[in-house]
Each structure stands twice: as structure tokens, then as C-alpha cells.
Amino acid sequence: MILKQVDSVLYVDTDILFLRPAEDVWSFLSRFNGSHVAAMAPEHEEPRIGWYNRFARHPYYGKTGVNSGVMLMNMTRIRHKHFK
């Protein structure tokens, strides 16, 4: 419902520090297939120290959950799917 003229967005939390160009993340859009709407990284690489698998009482994705602090989103596809 917002950003109707924008095709894609890279959402980043304010506490994120890029050690490489942000364009490196942006380039993942070219890897999206026709069904991909967003990309996020795992919360942790090591399940033994991940927060979700040790403490969460709610469902989460994968073995360690995902980090929503950096999200690459195809807004055109999200709007088409009518996510709210």
C-alpha cells in the first residue's frame, strides 16, 4: 500500500554496519526466481548459540530463525501477493 512507485527495497535496521558495499546485498535481487519476494539471512550460523532455538516459545524458520534486521524485498511481488 506504500511505496507504489518502488520495485525493490533493501530494509536495514539502524544498528547495521556494512563492512562491504550495500550493492553486494542488492545484487541478490538478480538471483530471485519468479516466486521469490524477499531474502533474509539466518539469525545465527551456529545453532548452539542461536537465540531462537534456545529460548523462543513461538514458531520460527529453519534451525536458527531469520534476522529481520536486513531484508531485501521485491515490493512489486509483495503488492501482487496482497501481503499486509
Side-chain angles (χ1 to χ4, degrees):
M1 296 177 1
I2 63 171
L3 304 173
K4 292 183 179 186
Q5 296 80 20
V6 176
D7 178 65
S8 299
V9 170
L10 175 58
Y11 168 83
V12 182
D13 278 354
T14 58
D15 62 347
I16 297 299
L17 173 66
F18 283 94
L19 300 177
R20 295 180 53 163
E23 291 83 359
D24 289 357
V25 178
W26 192 259
S27 71
F28 278 93
L29 282 170
S30 66
R31 298 182 187 183
F32 278 25
N33 68 28
S35 66
H36 291 143
V37 296
M40 291 179 269
E43 180 66 27
H44 257 281
E45 293 179 2
E46 176 53 57
R48 292 178 296 146
I49 59 174
W51 186 88
Y52 285 103
N53 57 305
R54 291 187 304 145
F55 303 111
R57 300 187 191 280
H58 59 284
Y60 55 89
Y61 181 80
K63 293 181 180 179
T64 61
V66 292
N67 184 333
S68 61
V70 178
M71 295 188 295
L72 185 60
M73 299 177 280
N74 183 307
M75 299 302 289
T76 301
R77 291 182 189 157
I78 290 173
R79 283 190 296 270
H80 180 71
K81 296 288 184 186
H82 303 289
F83 287 109
K84 294 184 180 182

